[in-house]
Amino acid sequence: QEHRRAKMLRSVLLGAACLATASAFMPMNPASTFLGSPATARSAAVSTGPRVAPMVGLASLNMKVYDWKRRDALVADPTLGDLVVGPNGKFLGNLSPAPGSKKGRTRKGRGIAAGQGASCGFGMRGQKSRSGRPTRAGFEGGQQPLYRRLPKLVGKGYGRDGHQKTEYGLIKLDVLNMCAENSEVSYEQCLEAGHMTKLHIKKGTSVIHGKKLIKVIGCNDADRNPVALTVKGLTVKAHAFTASAVEQIQGAGGKCVLLNPVTNQPLE
């Protein structure tokens, strides 16, 4: 009998220990017990208190702001970087870059403590460490430079003017639609009649004796549809024409006259 009583006492103590261990891991909310229904547990898990808006901007950072200017500004105005809802529902506010995303310019030659003092990143000695430009532009250390390795253009000059593309002042087909039928059209006549504004004259191969080279091109309207030439019998004088412009002018019974880029006279 004493053995039975000791065995029963051992069972009671073991049950109490198990209950104490389980209660240590159970939540404090009494509604979320194992005996309650799932619906009751879910309703009890939803917080009934006031909702707290999430913190944004600098106020949401738990780390230390290392930029002293930003840190002082945050101390002066704790709302720095917060979003504000405007009258139209749009987000306004004094947004600013995140701390650490903007790095200041490295000041060279201001002491070795700054990391780029003394030699300023140019090394101890050598040609490239001296003041001023050490070599001329295009110099490749003595080997054949690129501008001498490339072949020369046949018929082109060696200077700047010999290696530029020809740029034209443009006359579009919608300008020609403003002209009278069976008339002679040129840039000067369109400018005098007020159909177009003065073209910007640029120096280079595009300008011969102060006159800009003119090219007639096709164009699109506001809906990006090709503009059709409605004026018939035009004689258009220009230094160049696109294929679409030639097709439109000749299709309307007109004529395309090419001008000499030097003499500005019609080519025969």
Side-chain angles (χ1 to χ4, degrees):
Q1 187 175 2
E2 297 229 352
H3 178 68
R4 191 182 301 112
R5 190 179 300 132
K7 192 175 181 180
M8 186 181 301
L9 182 60
R10 192 184 307 113
S11 300
V12 171
L13 292 177
L14 182 60
C18 292
L19 184 60
T21 305
S23 62
F25 291 96
M26 291 179 63
M28 299 300 293
N29 191 354
S32 60
T33 58
F34 295 105
L35 299 178
S37 62
T40 306
R42 277 196 303 270
S43 62
V46 178
S47 176
T48 58
R51 297 185 63 184
V52 179
M55 301 178 67
V56 294
L58 289 178
S60 63
L61 297 175
N62 296 325
M63 65 181 73
K64 181 180 178 181
V65 180
Y66 289 95
D67 190 349
W68 63 272
K69 294 183 180 179
R70 301 288 299 282
R71 184 169 63 245
D72 295 345
L74 182 60
V75 171
D77 185 10
T79 62
L80 182 64
D82 293 350
L83 293 177
V84 181
V85 180
N88 298 328
K90 296 183 178 180
F91 287 107
L92 307 174
N94 50 353
L95 297 179
S96 56
S101 62
K102 298 292 184 180
K103 187 177 180 180
R105 179 179 61 87
T106 301
R107 301 176 69 236
K108 296 184 177 182
R110 296 299 184 270
I112 60 175
Q116 286 290 350
S119 59
C120 305
F122 290 94
M124 296 294 293
R125 288 173 296 275
Q127 185 181 18
K128 293 184 178 180
S129 68
R130 311 305 180 187
S131 62
R133 190 178 183 89
T135 58
R136 56 177 171 79
F139 184 69
E140 299 183 15
Q143 72 176 16
Q144 196 76 298
L146 177 64
Y147 69 89
R148 294 190 62 186
R149 293 197 300 268
L150 297 179
K152 298 180 177 62
L153 299 179
V154 178
K156 298 291 185 178
Y158 295 124
R160 174 183 60 89
D161 295 338
H163 293 77
Q164 284 185 341
K165 70 174 183 178
T166 304
E167 297 182 0
Y168 294 91
L170 304 180
I171 297 180
K172 300 181 180 180
L173 289 182
D174 53 3
V175 176
L176 300 183
N177 284 331
M178 304 177 187
C179 302
E181 293 187 355
N182 301 320
S183 61
E184 189 175 297
V185 180
S186 63
Y187 163 67
E188 291 78 7
Q189 294 172 352
C190 292
L191 183 63
E192 184 178 356
H195 299 330
M196 59 184 301
T197 58
K198 184 178 180 181
L199 296 175
H200 174 65
I201 296 180
K202 182 180 179 181
K203 294 182 178 180
T205 59
S206 304
V207 180
I208 304 297
H209 300 301
K211 295 184 180 296
K212 192 174 183 69
L213 303 183
I214 305 300
K215 187 175 186 178
V216 180
I217 64 172
C219 61
N220 297 336
D221 56 9
D223 298 330
R224 297 187 177 181
N225 297 321
V227 174
L229 183 63
T230 58
V231 182
K232 299 183 180 298
L234 292 179
T235 302
V236 184
K237 296 182 178 181
H239 300 94
F241 295 85
T242 60
S244 60
V246 172
E247 182 181 0
Q248 291 268 13
I249 295 173
Q250 293 181 353
K255 183 180 179 183
C256 299
V257 179
L258 281 174
L259 299 179
N260 191 314
V262 179
T263 62
N264 213 32
Q265 298 297 323
L267 293 174
E268 298 181 358

